[in-house]
Amino acid sequence: DNAYVRGQTTVISPQVGGYVTEVLVQDFATVKAGQILVRIDDSIYKQRVAQAQANISAQDANLSNSAQSQRSAEAQVQLQDATVANARAQLQRAQADMRRVNELVEAGSVSLRERDQTLAALRQAEAAVRQADAQRLIALEQVRSVTVGRSGLEAGVANAKASGGLAAIDLDRTIIRAPRDGRLSEV
């Protein structure tokens, strides 16, 4: 009645909540390290893993869309570069026309009305250059916006992967294993 039994006691408890669906050992059985002792209902945890995988896919798609948006914005910058070049060429032509018309007005070969029309064309060409430059700056800002947003999307992917890892850990913890060799007490 007063005997002492020496031994190491290991308390085993689940790290996740749920109903026990299966007990795979008997009272006082001998077990080996890693042997499955108990299974907890894993249906919710499997769904969390699936949900995490879907979230990872969605975040990856957002990141891919960002890459496509960046390519599109960069193409828009190239288009605006061409627009700027065209506007500057038109301005040079209008400036040359204005020089010629001024010479002809001094010689009396062209009316003041024609000179005024040429001057108006020159002013329009100057305005077109300013407008094209502004549109190019807008396109460059769009590229920067996409680039800045990309780091947030990359963080979203990393977060989704981390959540997926946590869900996988919880799923794995629905199986309780013997931490080392030993003998069970009452189950």
Side-chain angles (χ1 to χ4, degrees):
D1 288 339
N2 292 326
Y4 287 97
V5 176
R6 297 188 126 223
Q8 294 180 339
T9 303
T10 302
V11 177
I12 299 173
S13 65
Q15 292 182 322
V16 295
Y19 292 106
V20 172
T21 57
E22 194 174 8
V23 178
L24 300 166
V25 291
Q26 302 292 325
D27 291 342
F28 307 107
T30 301
V31 294
K32 298 286 183 193
Q35 181 179 340
I36 297 174
L37 307 175
V38 176
R39 290 184 195 273
I40 295 174
D41 181 18
D42 62 359
S43 58
I44 292 172
Y45 299 102
K46 284 181 181 177
Q47 289 303 309
R48 286 184 184 161
V49 168
Q51 182 181 35
Q53 289 170 341
N55 190 24
I56 291 168
S57 296
Q59 294 297 327
D60 280 336
N62 288 340
L63 191 57
S64 294
N65 285 341
S66 172
Q68 177 57 38
S69 294
Q70 183 164 358
R71 287 189 296 271
S72 176
E74 288 167 351
Q76 190 66 30
V77 169
Q78 290 176 347
L79 173 66
Q80 292 306 320
D81 286 343
T83 302
V84 167
N86 181 44
R88 290 194 176 152
Q90 294 299 324
L91 175 61
Q92 287 177 346
R93 184 179 60 82
Q95 288 169 336
D97 287 347
M98 192 68 214
R99 280 191 298 273
R100 275 186 239 114
V101 166
N102 281 335
E103 291 172 5
L104 292 173
V105 165
E106 290 174 8
S109 300
V110 174
S111 70
L112 291 175
R113 181 172 190 252
E114 288 180 55
R115 185 193 64 152
D116 290 344
Q117 289 175 342
T118 305
L119 181 59
L122 175 62
R123 298 293 179 248
Q124 285 179 333
E126 290 169 344
V129 168
R130 287 191 302 274
Q131 183 179 12
D133 284 337
Q135 293 287 23
R136 184 178 183 281
L137 288 175
I138 290 170
L140 286 171
E141 287 303 317
Q142 182 62 33
V143 170
R144 287 186 194 107
S145 293
V146 171
T147 303
V148 168
R150 185 169 180 83
S151 61
L153 293 172
E154 288 170 347
V157 169
N159 185 39
K161 288 180 179 179
S163 294
L166 290 173
I169 289 169
D170 284 347
L171 177 61
D172 187 51
R173 289 180 174 166
T174 60
I175 298 173
I176 300 173
R177 300 176 185 275
R180 61 180 179 209
D181 293 348
R183 172 169 266 172
L184 299 174
S185 64
E186 290 182 274
V187 176

